Amino acid sequence: GTENFAFVQSRVLFIGLHLVSGTDIPNRRDWRNRLDDNTVWLNDNVATHRDEVEVIVVFGHSPTEDEANQEFFSAFAEGVKTWDVPVLYFHQDDDDSVYPWTWQRNLFGVSNLLNVGVREKLWPPLRVVIDTQVNTFNLDGESWHVGSLDDNDGSLEFMEAGGGN
């Protein structure tokens, strides 16, 4: 857990995990221990801060489809089902897309889990604005550094009514 961090700001719990990706696993026991440590760190921090937050944001390097980390992501998805708040998982995305970020609702079939991949070496950096008052977040990877955000540019609801896509 020493590589991990967690803090609450403006009713949002931010959790950073040492969750790397890749197929080159030099020591499988150490890898599994890191995944277990990340699961414990995540669950302990959610349990500690759950009553004081409306949104949880988790940062990790690994994309959710990384097979080496599926044990973690399975436990993560099961936990999110019980947390009853929107959860955003941000990770590095190697996608060669022209878009600065990609997103997927209902990750692992969990209605309150949103997956956001951020392209590496991005300029300007992705700006994320979370508004718990109207239950939305705004992603802007293009114009935030030169002016104000257009309220409709990149704004997404956390969860649609009925847990739809």
Side-chain angles (χ1 to χ4, degrees), residues 50-71:
R50 177 58 199 93
D51 291 338
E52 58 188 289
V53 300
E54 296 177 29
V55 177
I56 299 170
V57 175
V58 179
F59 301 100
H61 183 270
S62 176
T64 56
E65 62 272 7
D66 189 325
E67 289 188 28
N69 293 318
Q70 287 311 298
E71 183 179 326

Side-chain angles (χ1 to χ4, degrees), residues 2-118:
T2 58
E3 299 101 353
N4 298 338
F5 65 85
F7 63 92
V8 174
Q9 182 175 340
S10 302
R11 302 204 43 83
V12 178
L13 173 59
F14 295 92
I15 299 176
L17 300 174
H18 182 194
L19 187 61
V20 297
S21 62
T23 56
D24 183 22
I25 302 173
N27 185 318
R28 295 208 178 268
R29 185 179 66 230
D30 288 348
W31 191 279
R32 181 177 169 85
N33 287 343
R34 183 181 320 121
L35 295 180
D36 291 344
D37 288 348
N38 283 333
T39 300
V40 169
W41 177 264
L42 181 69
N43 291 331
D44 285 354
N45 277 282
V46 170
T48 298
H49 300 289
R50 177 58 199 93
D51 291 338
E52 58 188 289
V53 300
E54 296 177 29
V55 177
I56 299 170
V57 175
V58 179
F59 301 100
H61 183 270
S62 176
T64 56
E65 62 272 7
D66 189 325
E67 289 188 28
N69 293 318
Q70 287 311 298
E71 183 179 326
F72 168 80
F73 286 118
S74 293
F76 177 45
E78 289 303 311
V80 171
K81 288 178 187 177
T82 68
W83 297 341
D84 195 35
V85 294
V87 178
L88 289 73
Y89 174 66
F90 284 88
H91 61 87
Q92 182 266 328
D93 191 357
D94 333 89
D95 186 23
D96 291 328
S97 165
V98 296
Y99 301 106
W101 49 270
T102 58
W103 60 277
Q104 174 188 1
R105 290 186 197 270
N106 299 324
L107 184 62
F108 304 118
V110 180
S111 64
N112 58 320
L113 181 53
L114 184 80
N115 182 41
V116 182
V118 180

